[in-house]
Amino acid sequence: MPRLAALSTRLPLLRTAVAAASAIPRRRIVCLLPKRAFSLAPTARAAAAAQALTSAQYPTLRRNPDFKTLNDNDVAFFKSAIKSPAGVITADTPDELEPFNQDWMRRFKGQSTLVLRPSSTSEVSAVLKYCNDNNIAVVPQGGNTGLVGGSVPVHDEVVLSLQNMNQIREFDPVSGILTCDAGCVLEVLDNHLAQKGFIMPLDLGAKGSCQIGGNVATNAGGLRLLRYGSLHGTVLSMEVVMADGRIVECGKPLRKDNTGFDLKQLFIGSEGTLGVITSVSILTPRRSRAVNVAMLGVSSFDHLMEVFKQAKMDLNEILSAFEFFDRTCLNLVKRHIPNVRAPFDADTRFYVLIETSGSNKDHDDDKLSTFLEHVMTEGMVEDGALAQDATQAAGMWNIRETITESLAKEGGNYKYDLSVPVAQLYDVVEEMQKQLAERGLYAADGSATGAVKHVVGFGHMGDGNLHLNLTSTGWTTELTQAIEPPLYKSIQRRGGSISAEHGVGLMKAPYLSYSKSADFIDLMKSMKKLFDPKGILNPYKYFPPS
Amino acid sequence: MPRLAALSTRLPLLRTAVAAASAIPRRRIVCLLPKRAFSLAPTARAAAAAQALTSAQYPTLRRNPDFKTLNDNDVAFFKSAIKSPAGVITADTPDELEPFNQDWMRRFKGQSTLVLRPSSTSEVSAVLKYCNDNNIAVVPQGGNTGLVGGSVPVHDEVVLSLQNMNQIREFDPVSGILTCDAGCVLEVLDNHLAQKGFIMPLDLGAKGSCQIGGNVATNAGGLRLLRYGSLHGTVLSMEVVMADGRIVECGKPLRKDNTGFDLKQLFIGSEGTLGVITSVSILTPRRSRAVNVAMLGVSSFDHLMEVFKQAKMDLNEILSAFEFFDRTCLNLVKRHIPNVRAPFDADTRFYVLIETSGSNKDHDDDKLSTFLEHVMTEGMVEDGALAQDATQAAGMWNIRETITESLAKEGGNYKYDLSVPVAQLYDVVEEMQKQLAERGLYAADGSATGAVKHVVGFGHMGDGNLHLNLTSTGWTTELTQAIEPPLYKSIQRRGGSISAEHGVGLMKAPYLSYSKSADFIDLMKSMKKLFDPKGILNPYKYFPPS
């Protein structure tokens, strides 16, 4: 097993690298957002237009004149309906209003003059009933960490923030079922569970800010989906306030309940367009005692698929992450992130980060050794390193998680979150490179002769989720036109999805037809009409503009 | 560790017992149903009333006069719309019609004069369009293995059987995604996957007859839910024919797709009332290389919960079943099932069957030893046995799976499929025993002084799913009244569900309000109206009679 020996000789290198990178905790880079000025993926254009109103950027999204403009009586009602004095923010304090009007990427900016922060379900109900009776448009908002402009107003919609509904209602250590308010921050819940030996079944970069209600409303994916599945499987029940103020309990905190339509599922991923989630019950697994992380260099995408298949076979029940990125991603991280070095020298086309988590460290080590022996002796992998401790593991995760930040430092960013059958994942990247090169917009050798400097691919290989990113000298209509229609058509042709996990929001609403048929969209519209006849909930988004 | 030694000394006993029980393959008892005359749970009354029409049993469910009575022109249309000559069964061949009119328990009997067996989605579409245009009521039918009377007609509804739509469309060994017609038999799919090293994420006693479309339409639970989760998480997409014949693709065979409402979820568990599922894409896990089975005797329910918690801790990612049954269940199995003996002699109040499955036999054995050492040295368990081979494992499963058959041999059966918070699972059984004893209907010492001979509990402890069964000298209105209102009220009070996995169908429709609020049921009705305005799909069921 000469390869395995090679692998182990790399470990000292890794130790040095990681010691230098030192205390960057895993997945913390994004956590502090949106409180810090640093943003993960501001594009040159977005940065320049930091103060541009969404309504100016999207002039066709005209304000719906059916919606009432707020007056003093309305504000007085809301002040009476919400008990907490800090529960109502008005135009009297514009600095306090601003963070609710603006997304953390600083790409979208609404013009709301009123933020409501109810502390109970009955307050949410009173607010929505009034809004519905008076045709007042509302944007439900969780942690406001979304990537598609779904959680901030377009015009003067009232912002309904769930942040004051942040109580853990119950945790049952026998079943692992957690019930909590929608406004609980994901990381707070995870820390709470950690003390009891359990873990949230989802994990995101934004965990320090995002709220469970928003996670559920947007059907967040993230890093644990490979292991614990989607929220459609783990969310057991929820409490929802309908547009007209009715409070509806959708299911119970039970693992099984087979009575009636599973209506809660409709709210998962509907981005606040059907109702406002006020509490959630979720099934949480036991926290794993042992975690291992390895990084491998692979010379071709075919080999990468072989490695993935082998991982599913050898690591099976303990496989908890299988993330990939291409050579350019690694090079950009090395260029822009201080003190980061690859854990080995081999320069390969692809890199993969594998995480296992299980209940027995010895067993997991043994499984991982078997797997590494397989992939190295059979030539699927060129080189690799296995983290020897938590710091080294954090160093490896740091490479994966600073890709977005590194790309942002290269200039303007075009970012796509795509789902395609795993075998075709990287074809999408190569096809884009070829198309742009043919138009003279990109030089395949990496020399910056065109408007596009880099076309890279990375993402959750285990979920068939590709993050296709392009860096450019700026945003132009010509470039957008060169990228988007061909890309979306390609995704449609491949039977993929134009949004794997980020959702629809404002950004992807016009392109929904690339992923969903006209009949399907018609059904969606009928459903919206049924749940929210006046269309007050999160208007201007999610549905293709008519 | 004296207890562990005791455990191992029991193994020779087990070997003898299992050798005698010999070749009863695991979970095969029910598989051949409904082809065999033997039925799992015929009650004395149901058996006696084998020929009684549902319409006679439920006189309040009057035929809806808006539905057209079929004439020769209609039959001629269907014969032209369905290409296969065997695709249309009429009253000319009553023997062929009968199995489609009757459920396998022989409890329900409809009066349909027409069974349609289309071979393609476009044929299903043509059939439904015609039925909708002509107000013809339709009962979609899969393998007809349901337990609540949902899959057979009440009056003269046309039966739309999916059994001729049985092609596997695609399997991707990289992602593990299987796409197939709705009429594929579950066991056929599982065998197909076994050859490729994968496994269906669900398993039922009825696997030899039930169809994946029916499984999905009824949101079947079963034996693998503890490990692989519910169909809401594993079904990735489906093709559905709406009541008016429109074919709607709900999602794509992708692990992630976050565009638009997840409408496929509505069809999961809607029992054919919203549309007809014609194909399904489902995520299938790798088949585990190693399987272990153990049976333990436990003296109290508190200890049982401790054992469950310990199993989740020590066995964690390899735990694949945690089934429990009480002492009476075991005694009845020993009485009625030939050549079955308990794997150990200890007479305890409860027994638990634990299964692990993982990718490495040595590791799993090791984890199981650690777990057994914990529970035995800490006194949670009185005695136990660990299967040494597949035959012994099958013998243990055989005990669990012949409980229903054994109960049936005791006389009339009242069967309830309940979901309650795990900690309260057995309280429901004891409460029922107490209530019936107080009314003189049951003798707590087991002597058959009252109408009720046994009140037993067993089920999927890991899912909080209790099968509460009563055996009686017969079905009487007095006894039904003594059991059902108090039971359903108790379940409602405990925040449980009156149907954990069997669904609603005809039997539980009147009791839906014990599990769902009036507002929720109103929303369900609006949804039904939206999807099936004329109400032609599976009428008289699922919704509380108005």
Side-chain angles (χ1 to χ4, degrees):
Chain A
M1 293 161 285
R3 285 276 181 201
L4 261 184
L7 179 126
S8 59
T9 61
R10 300 298 172 184
L11 290 170
L13 268 181
L14 175 67
R15 282 192 195 100
T16 318
V18 176
S22 73
I24 304 170
R26 180 182 159 195
R27 299 172 201 161
R28 280 296 176 285
I29 303 298
V30 204
C31 300
L32 299 173
L33 292 166
K35 290 166 199 148
R36 287 170 52 190
F38 160 73
S39 75
L40 242 196
T43 63
R45 174 170 172 258
Q51 302 305 314
L53 295 173
T54 304
S55 58
Q57 293 180 59
Y58 293 81
T60 56
L61 290 180
R62 272 190 281 274
R63 187 183 182 284
N64 180 345
D66 293 346
F67 293 138
K68 185 181 181 187
T69 303
L70 294 177
N71 61 33
D72 290 348
N73 288 343
D74 300 321
V75 176
F77 170 82
F78 292 124
K79 283 186 173 169
S80 74
I82 295 179
K83 303 283 170 295
S84 158
V88 179
I89 304 173
T90 66
D92 296 342
T93 50
D95 286 355
E96 284 184 54
L97 266 185
E98 190 178 299
F100 297 91
N101 263 321
Q102 201 160 39
D103 73 318
W104 67 270
M105 296 184 297
R106 304 202 169 190
R107 185 152 174 202
F108 300 99
K109 190 172 185 179
Q111 302 160 73
S112 183
T113 57
L114 188 70
V115 173
L116 303 176
R117 296 189 290 181
S119 302
S120 69
T121 305
S122 57
E123 286 186 0
V124 174
S125 168
V127 163
L128 284 179
K129 186 180 184 324
Y130 185 88
C131 290
N132 195 56
D133 289 346
N134 291 279
N135 274 2
I136 296 171
V138 178
V139 176
Q141 189 178 90
N144 196 11
T145 62
L147 290 156
V148 287
S151 55
V152 286
V154 174
H155 298 285
D156 59 345
E157 302 91 278
V158 170
V159 175
L160 179 60
S161 165
L162 277 296
Q163 66 183 202
N164 285 349
M165 289 192 64
N166 52 15
Q167 299 300 304
I168 293 173
R169 298 189 184 182
E170 200 178 354
F171 176 70
D172 174 7
V174 180
S175 62
I177 298 172
L178 172 79
T179 303
C180 63
D181 285 352
C184 289
V185 170
L186 180 58
E187 192 170 42
V188 171
L189 296 175
D190 204 46
N191 290 342
H192 179 82
L193 290 175
Q195 293 165 14
K196 296 165 192 296
F198 288 77
I199 189 172
M200 286 297 283
L202 77 161
D203 185 25
L204 309 179
K207 72 193 283 185
S209 305
C210 66
Q211 298 168 10
I212 187 68
N215 296 147
V216 172
T218 58
N219 188 26
L223 296 158
R224 292 181 189 153
L225 189 136
L226 176 72
R227 176 66 168 273
Y228 301 117
S230 84
L231 291 168
H232 288 289
T234 51
V235 172
L236 300 176
S237 68
M238 60 176 72
E239 180 189 76
V240 178
V241 182
M242 306 293 293
D244 61 8
R246 268 179 305 164
I247 300 167
V248 180
E249 192 193 9
C250 293
K252 304 234 169 60
L254 300 166
R255 177 113 196 217
K256 280 173 163 181
D257 174 16
N258 216 359
T259 55
F261 303 147
D262 196 354
L263 296 184
K264 72 170 183 288
Q265 300 286 354
L266 278 180
F267 298 98
I268 302 176
S270 62
E271 302 184 13
T273 59
L274 294 180
V276 177
I277 300 170
T278 47
S279 95
V280 166
S281 290
I282 190 163
L283 187 67
T284 71
R286 297 280 324 178
R287 193 170 279 264
S288 296
R289 293 168 184 155
V291 176
N292 284 316
V293 179
M295 195 171 136
L296 308 173
V298 184
S299 63
S300 72
F301 195 78
D302 284 347
H303 279 162
L304 196 54
M305 284 211 295
E306 291 303 315
V307 175
F308 178 51
K309 281 198 271 188
Q310 195 68 42
K312 284 179 71 169
M313 212 174 312
D314 292 338
L315 304 174
N316 199 334
E317 67 271 15
I318 61 165
L319 184 63
S320 54
F322 195 102
E323 301 284 312
F324 89 102
F325 44 96
D326 61 22
R327 175 191 280 143
T328 311
C329 291
L330 179 62
N331 288 338
L332 293 180
V333 168
K334 288 196 282 191
R335 182 184 303 168
H336 292 292
I337 308 298
N339 302 321
V340 162
R341 270 169 58 192
F344 48 84
D345 291 332
D347 178 36
T348 52
R349 278 200 71 198
F350 297 101
Y351 298 88
V352 53
L353 185 153
I354 292 173
E355 186 190 78
T356 66
S357 45
S359 55
N360 184 306
K361 174 80 175 137
D362 292 342
H363 295 169
D364 292 6
D365 289 352
D366 196 24
K367 286 190 181 82
L368 197 50
S369 297
T370 305
F371 162 72
L372 291 172
E373 198 176 310
H374 270 141
V375 296
M376 300 199 83
T377 54
E378 287 167 27
M380 300 176 204
V381 155
E382 299 303 308
D383 208 342
L386 177 61
Q388 297 300 297
D389 55 37
T391 311
Q392 290 188 3
M396 289 182 183
W397 269 112
N398 189 43
I399 294 173
R400 163 67 183 86
E401 294 190 330
T402 50
I403 293 172
T404 314
E405 185 181 343
S406 310
L407 286 164
K409 296 196 172 169
E410 285 286 307
N413 274 207
Y414 283 82
K415 306 177 77 65
Y416 301 95
D417 161 46
L418 310 163
S419 199
V420 252
V422 180
Q424 301 174 43
L425 217 54
Y426 208 72
D427 294 346
V428 175
V429 181
E430 290 173 339
E431 189 179 62
M432 179 57 64
Q433 290 170 334
K434 191 162 163 280
Q435 279 170 1
L436 293 175
E438 282 168 6
R439 288 178 175 230
L441 295 165
Y442 169 74
D445 62 1
S447 61
T449 54
V452 176
K453 286 165 72 182
H454 307 288
V455 180
V456 305
F458 61 98
H460 318 291
M461 170 115 179
D463 310 326
N465 187 176
L466 170 72
H467 294 304
L468 169 70
N469 277 234
L470 295 86
T471 67
S472 68
T473 48
W475 285 55
T476 64
T477 309
E478 184 209 358
L479 189 50
T480 307
Q481 285 297 315
I483 298 169
E484 288 186 15
L487 176 63
Y488 290 143
K489 279 180 194 158
S490 165
I491 296 302
Q492 188 177 36
R493 203 173 53 241
R494 295 171 190 280
S497 167
I498 61 158
S499 182
E501 59 179 10
H502 293 173
V504 179
L506 191 65
M507 276 173 72
K508 297 197 179 173
Y511 310 110
L512 202 60
S513 64
Y514 285 103
S515 276
K516 291 291 186 298
S517 70
D519 274 342
F520 191 95
I521 294 172
D522 276 353
L523 267 177
M524 282 175 56
K525 287 180 178 169
S526 315
M527 203 81 70
K528 169 73 175 175
K529 197 138 194 84
L530 184 65
F531 281 70
D532 177 22
K534 294 183 170 181
I536 61 163
L537 292 174
N538 220 0
Y540 316 113
K541 299 165 189 161
Y542 203 75
F543 297 90
S546 45
Chain B
M1 293 163 281
R3 285 276 181 203
L4 261 186
L7 177 125
S8 59
T9 62
R10 299 299 173 184
L11 289 171
L13 269 182
L14 174 67
R15 282 192 195 100
T16 319
V18 176
S22 74
I24 304 169
R26 178 181 160 196
R27 299 173 201 160
R28 279 298 174 285
I29 304 299
V30 206
C31 300
L32 299 173
L33 292 166
K35 289 166 198 149
R36 287 170 53 189
F38 160 74
S39 75
L40 243 195
T43 63
R45 173 169 174 262
Q51 302 307 312
L53 294 173
T54 304
S55 58
Q57 294 181 60
Y58 294 80
T60 55
L61 290 179
R62 273 190 279 275
R63 186 183 182 283
N64 180 346
D66 293 345
F67 293 138
K68 184 181 182 187
T69 303
L70 293 177
N71 62 31
D72 290 348
N73 288 343
D74 299 322
V75 176
F77 170 81
F78 292 123
K79 283 186 174 169
S80 73
I82 294 178
K83 303 285 171 294
S84 157
V88 179
I89 303 173
T90 66
D92 297 342
T93 50
D95 287 357
E96 284 184 53
L97 266 185
E98 191 180 298
F100 297 91
N101 264 320
Q102 204 161 38
D103 73 317
W104 68 269
M105 296 182 299
R106 302 199 173 194
R107 183 150 174 205
F108 300 99
K109 191 172 183 179
Q111 302 160 75
S112 181
T113 58
L114 188 70
V115 173
L116 303 177
R117 296 189 290 183
S119 302
S120 68
T121 305
S122 56
E123 287 186 0
V124 174
S125 167
V127 163
L128 283 179
K129 185 178 184 326
Y130 185 89
C131 290
N132 195 57
D133 289 346
N134 292 278
N135 273 2
I136 296 170
V138 177
V139 176
Q141 191 178 89
N144 195 12
T145 61
L147 290 156
V148 287
S151 55
V152 287
V154 175
H155 298 286
D156 59 344
E157 302 91 280
V158 170
V159 175
L160 178 61
S161 165
L162 277 295
Q163 65 182 204
N164 285 349
M165 288 192 63
N166 53 15
Q167 300 300 303
I168 292 172
R169 298 187 185 182
E170 199 177 354
F171 177 69
D172 174 7
V174 180
S175 62
I177 299 172
L178 172 79
T179 304
C180 64
D181 286 352
C184 288
V185 169
L186 180 58
E187 191 169 41
V188 171
L189 295 176
D190 203 46
N191 290 342
H192 179 82
L193 290 175
Q195 293 166 14
K196 296 166 193 296
F198 288 77
I199 190 171
M200 286 297 284
L202 77 162
D203 185 26
L204 310 178
K207 71 192 282 186
S209 305
C210 67
Q211 298 167 11
I212 188 68
N215 296 148
V216 173
T218 58
N219 188 26
L223 298 157
R224 292 180 189 153
L225 189 134
L226 176 69
R227 176 66 169 274
Y228 301 117
S230 86
L231 291 167
H232 287 288
T234 52
V235 172
L236 300 176
S237 68
M238 60 175 71
E239 179 187 76
V240 179
V241 183
M242 306 293 293
D244 61 8
R246 267 178 306 163
I247 301 167
V248 180
E249 192 192 9
C250 293
K252 303 234 169 59
L254 299 167
R255 178 112 196 218
K256 279 174 163 180
D257 174 17
N258 217 1
T259 55
F261 302 148
D262 196 355
L263 296 184
K264 71 168 185 289
Q265 301 286 355
L266 278 181
F267 299 97
I268 301 176
S270 62
E271 303 184 14
T273 59
L274 294 181
V276 176
I277 298 169
T278 47
S279 95
V280 166
S281 289
I282 190 164
L283 186 68
T284 71
R286 296 284 320 181
R287 192 170 279 265
S288 295
R289 292 169 184 154
V291 175
N292 284 317
V293 179
M295 195 170 135
L296 309 172
V298 184
S299 63
S300 72
F301 195 78
D302 283 346
H303 279 160
L304 197 53
M305 283 211 295
E306 290 303 314
V307 175
F308 178 51
K309 280 196 272 187
Q310 194 68 44
K312 284 180 72 171
M313 212 175 311
D314 292 339
L315 304 174
N316 199 332
E317 67 271 15
I318 61 165
L319 183 64
S320 55
F322 195 103
E323 301 284 311
F324 89 102
F325 43 96
D326 62 21
R327 175 191 279 142
T328 311
C329 290
L330 180 62
N331 289 338
L332 293 179
V333 168
K334 288 197 282 191
R335 183 185 301 168
H336 292 293
I337 307 298
N339 301 321
V340 163
R341 270 170 58 195
F344 48 83
D345 291 331
D347 178 36
T348 53
R349 279 198 72 197
F350 296 101
Y351 298 88
V352 53
L353 186 152
I354 291 172
E355 186 190 78
T356 67
S357 45
S359 56
N360 184 306
K361 174 80 176 135
D362 291 342
H363 296 169
D364 292 5
D365 289 353
D366 196 25
K367 286 191 179 83
L368 197 51
S369 298
T370 304
F371 162 72
L372 291 172
E373 198 177 310
H374 270 141
V375 295
M376 300 199 83
T377 54
E378 287 167 27
M380 300 177 203
V381 155
E382 298 303 307
D383 207 344
L386 176 62
Q388 297 299 297
D389 55 36
T391 312
Q392 291 187 2
M396 290 183 183
W397 269 111
N398 189 43
I399 295 173
R400 164 67 184 84
E401 294 190 331
T402 52
I403 293 171
T404 314
E405 184 181 345
S406 310
L407 287 163
K409 295 195 173 170
E410 286 285 308
N413 274 206
Y414 284 82
K415 307 178 78 64
Y416 301 94
D417 161 45
L418 309 164
S419 200
V420 252
V422 180
Q424 301 176 42
L425 217 54
Y426 208 73
D427 294 345
V428 174
V429 180
E430 290 173 337
E431 188 179 63
M432 178 58 63
Q433 290 170 334
K434 190 162 165 278
Q435 279 170 1
L436 294 175
E438 281 168 6
R439 289 176 174 231
L441 294 165
Y442 168 76
D445 62 359
S447 62
T449 54
V452 175
K453 286 164 73 181
H454 307 288
V455 180
V456 305
F458 61 98
H460 317 291
M461 170 114 178
D463 311 325
N465 185 177
L466 170 73
H467 295 304
L468 169 71
N469 277 232
L470 296 86
T471 68
S472 68
T473 49
W475 285 55
T476 64
T477 310
E478 184 209 357
L479 188 49
T480 308
Q481 285 297 317
I483 298 169
E484 288 186 15
L487 175 63
Y488 291 143
K489 280 179 194 157
S490 165
I491 296 301
Q492 188 177 36
R493 202 173 55 241
R494 296 171 190 279
S497 167
I498 61 158
S499 183
E501 59 179 10
H502 293 173
V504 180
L506 192 65
M507 277 173 70
K508 298 198 178 172
Y511 310 109
L512 202 59
S513 62
Y514 286 102
S515 278
K516 291 291 186 297
S517 70
D519 274 341
F520 191 95
I521 294 172
D522 275 352
L523 266 179
M524 282 176 56
K525 286 180 176 167
S526 315
M527 203 79 72
K528 168 75 174 174
K529 197 137 193 87
L530 182 66
F531 280 71
D532 177 20
K534 295 182 169 181
I536 62 164
L537 292 174
N538 220 2
Y540 317 113
K541 299 164 189 162
Y542 204 75
F543 297 91
S546 44

